[in-house]
């Protein structure tokens, strides 16, 4: 089924959150007003990215990250047009121009910056196609999305938007049990760590905000980025549940009477 | 005569009116009112639509279904409507991801008002652009124990199923 929409109303951080948590494999195409981007994922991790504004060949990327001189890049561009990235990479490694690590670091920098740039797009039609892989001559990596999401969500400055996302500070937070997401692998700021250290199903968010001496705005933004990265979720604070199993909103008192009333509703609706 | 009520909420155009209309024995959009002030030179007309449906269970039990009003200005009504409700249904238009954020806001707000059972419907599953419910579950940040039901609000069986799932959750709450 369709996984499409517009970044104007379904943000890029929500999209990455979805891809990461659903561990999706496939390719995301985004068409912006004057630019396009294409990102590929495997099991919810970023493996490849390119955008329409630059030459996405390995030679160009190595030149942009100063691993090749402009002259070397020019030669490659003129003479190695038909050589794929994997072959070119091997030749450059074997001839000692660059190391394998330098290539991987350059590519990672390039892919992450393509992803980061998408957080700033005001709009862009996106479509995710399952199981479409990057072309086989491209070198792919395996980059976790948590850090990219946290970094991107930090830039969210809209107060109203944050209040929509986290309307009530009377609720509590708990760590999710997503296998594969580990808070220790995430680069958190000191303030973010302070919030993390108070996360507990018993602590209402309001208390955490007060204890950590953050403004509600700062606090909401931190919580929002942790939620988007799939690390925490909102729950009702523990201890606030009614201790009796009775439903207080039913017009009858005893549990048996309540059950019989609900069963009458069930029978009636089945018969509609 | 005993009455119980359920609230049907969700973003604008998610299918609340349709959902209630499909199972209600009375016409739903009866509470639409026009308020206009004749003394003003520019005629102002405001429409307040609040859906209201009824299912008579037997001689002394009636179930009311309330739809929440669409505009954000009327959010204060949520708190009033949520008082005394047996449970609530959050409708989401599966083909309009731009409304998921609003759906989350509504869900989080209602959840904070009351610990009442609720279900979420992935409505308009008949449309070609409908998102897969498993993707919607993540986009809406639903915990695994929350029921997300594929739904077509024009289809009676589908609406019945959503209401029944909500009632089963209410029964489970009584037998912990
Ligand atoms: N295809 C389709 N259309 C639906 C469905 N449910 C509602 N609609 C249509 O969506 C539009 C908005 O529905 P409405 O009930 O007025 O939404 P409300 O604003 O939430 O009350 C109407 O044109 C409905 O006929 C559905 O399940 N499938
Ligand atoms: Mg309506």
């Amino acid at each position: 089924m369709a996984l499409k929409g517009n970044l104007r109303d379904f943000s890029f951080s929500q999209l990455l959150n979805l891809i990461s948590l659903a561990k999706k494999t496939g390719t995301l195409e985004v068409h912006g007003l004057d630019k396009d981007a294409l990102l590929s994922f495997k099991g919810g991790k970023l493996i490849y990215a390119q955008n329409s504004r630059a030459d996405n060949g390995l030679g160009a990327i190595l030149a942009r990250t100063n691993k090749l001189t402009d002259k070397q890049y020019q030669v490659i561009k003129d003479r190695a047009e038909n050589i794929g990235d994997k072959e070119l990479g091997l030749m450059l490694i074997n001839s000692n121009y660059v190391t394998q690590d330098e290539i991987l670091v350059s590519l990672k920098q390039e892919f992450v910056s393509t992803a980061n740039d998408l957080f700033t797009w005001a709009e862009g039609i996106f479509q995710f196609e399952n199981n479409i892989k990057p072309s086989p001559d491209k070198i792919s990596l395996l980059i976790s999305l948590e850090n990219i999401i946290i970094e991107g969500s930090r830039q969210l400055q809209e107060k109203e938007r944050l209040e929509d996302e986290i309307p009530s500070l009377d609720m509590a937070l708990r760590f999710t049990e997503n296998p594969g997401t580990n808070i220790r692998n995430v680069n958190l700021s000191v303030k973010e760590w302070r919030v993390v250290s108070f996360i507990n199903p018993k602590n209402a968010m309001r208390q955490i905000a007060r204890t950590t001496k953050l403004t509600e705005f700062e606090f909401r933004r931190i919580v929002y980025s942790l939620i988007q990265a799939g690390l925490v979720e909102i729950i009702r604070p523990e201890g606030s549940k009614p201790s009796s199993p009775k439903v207080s909103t039913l017009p009858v008192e005893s549990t048996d009477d309540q059950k019989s009333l609900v069963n009458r509703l069930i029978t009636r609706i089945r018969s509609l | 005569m005993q009455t119980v009520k359920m609230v049907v909420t969700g973003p604008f155009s998610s299918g609340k009116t349709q959902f209630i209309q499909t199972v209600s024995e009375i016409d739903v959009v009866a509470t639409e009112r026009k308020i206009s002030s004749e003394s003003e030179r520019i005629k102002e007309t405001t429409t307040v639509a609040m859906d209201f449906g009824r299912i008579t269970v037997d001689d002394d039990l009636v179930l009311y279904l309330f739809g929440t009003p669409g505009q954000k200005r009327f959010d204060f009504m949520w708190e009033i409507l949520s008082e005394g409700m047996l449970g609530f249904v959050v409708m989401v238009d599966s083909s309009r991801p731009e409304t998921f954020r609003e759906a989350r806001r509504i869900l989080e707000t209602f959840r904070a008002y009351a610990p009442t059972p609720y279900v979420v419907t992935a409505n308009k599953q008949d449309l070609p652009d409908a998102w897969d419910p498993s993707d919607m579950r993540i986009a809406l940040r639903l915990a695994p124990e929350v029921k997300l039901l594929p739904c077509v609000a024009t289809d009676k069986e589908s609406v019945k199923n959503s209401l029944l799932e909500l009632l089963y959750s209410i029964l489970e709450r009584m037998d912990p």
Side-chain angles (χ1 to χ4, degrees), chain A:
Chain A
M1 253 191 274
L3 183 53
K4 39 181 176 176
N6 193 321
L7 293 182
R8 192 181 49 218
D9 341 274
F10 192 85
S11 71
F12 187 59
S13 70
Q14 283 179 66
L15 198 51
L16 289 188
N17 168 273
L18 173 59
I19 290 167
S20 171
L21 293 187
K23 305 208 181 319
K24 286 188 178 291
T25 296
T27 292
L28 175 74
E29 277 186 45
V30 190
H31 301 287
L33 292 175
D34 54 358
K35 49 196 172 178
D36 300 324
L38 182 148
L39 291 88
S40 297
F41 301 87
K42 185 174 169 189
K45 292 186 159 53
L46 180 66
I47 57 170
Y48 180 72
Q50 68 174 50
N51 61 58
S52 62
R53 279 181 302 178
D55 179 344
N56 292 287
L58 180 63
I61 292 172
L62 291 172
R64 277 202 287 279
T65 49
N66 298 318
K67 297 291 179 293
L68 290 180
T69 63
D70 286 347
K71 185 148 180 266
Q72 289 165 331
Y73 168 48
Q74 201 54 50
V75 173
I76 290 169
K77 213 174 133 197
D78 294 342
R79 316 261 297 275
E81 211 186 337
N82 301 323
I83 296 184
D85 281 357
K86 280 182 185 159
E87 272 184 312
L88 178 64
L90 265 181
M91 286 195 293
L92 291 172
I93 293 168
N94 289 340
S95 53
N96 278 328
Y97 277 103
V98 289
T99 64
Q100 166 147 331
D101 274 354
E102 283 174 325
I103 290 184
L104 298 181
V105 167
S106 292
L107 287 175
K108 181 170 179 186
Q109 220 172 302
E110 181 84 4
F111 295 175
V112 169
S113 101
T114 296
N116 282 342
D117 183 55
L118 275 151
F119 286 100
T120 66
W121 293 24
E123 55 183 282
I125 310 273
F126 65 80
Q127 175 143 10
F128 187 90
E129 293 289 348
N130 282 319
N131 299 321
I132 301 227
K133 295 186 184 131
S135 81
D137 61 308
K138 293 291 180 190
I139 300 169
S140 57
L141 307 176
L142 205 57
I143 307 169
S144 295
L145 294 182
E146 287 100 332
N147 278 316
I148 297 177
I149 295 172
I150 295 242
E151 182 66 38
S153 318
R154 278 189 190 121
Q155 290 154 27
L156 184 63
Q157 291 290 351
E158 272 174 83
K159 184 161 172 289
E160 192 202 6
R161 169 80 195 276
L162 287 168
E163 282 170 2
D164 278 3
E165 295 287 350
I166 305 157
S168 169
L169 295 182
D170 295 327
M171 301 293 269
L173 298 168
R174 76 168 168 216
F175 294 108
T176 53
E177 282 160 21
N178 299 317
T181 53
N182 188 335
I183 196 138
R184 274 170 303 184
N185 299 337
V186 180
N187 305 323
L188 296 178
S189 70
V190 174
K191 279 182 181 174
E192 286 161 346
W193 272 118
R194 272 208 335 252
V195 170
V196 164
S197 67
F198 284 102
I199 290 179
N200 180 316
K202 293 196 177 79
N203 294 341
M205 283 191 260
R206 196 179 301 288
Q207 290 167 286
I208 304 180
R210 213 176 288 142
T211 312
T212 51
K213 298 199 169 65
L214 294 168
T215 64
E216 287 197 3
F217 174 73
E218 276 180 305
F219 177 76
R220 276 197 168 87
R221 194 171 54 195
I222 289 174
V223 171
Y224 175 70
S225 56
L226 295 172
I227 291 173
Q228 286 298 77
L231 299 167
V232 305
E233 60 196 0
I234 298 178
I235 54 162
R236 292 188 67 80
E238 251 174 33
S240 72
K241 277 187 193 137
S243 49
S244 120
K246 278 183 203 148
V247 177
S248 60
T249 53
L250 280 171
V252 284
E253 284 281 316
S254 82
T255 307
D256 282 348
D257 287 349
Q258 294 197 336
K259 275 193 207 164
S260 115
L261 190 146
V262 174
N263 277 315
R264 273 153 73 200
L265 288 166
I266 289 173
T267 309
R268 175 70 181 109
I269 286 170
R270 280 192 187 137
S271 75
L272 282 176

Side-chain angles (χ1 to χ4, degrees), chain B residues 12 16 49 56 104 107 137:
Chain B
F12 175 70
K16 301 179 289 293
T56 304
R104 276 203 310 269
L107 182 67
R137 175 177 283 284

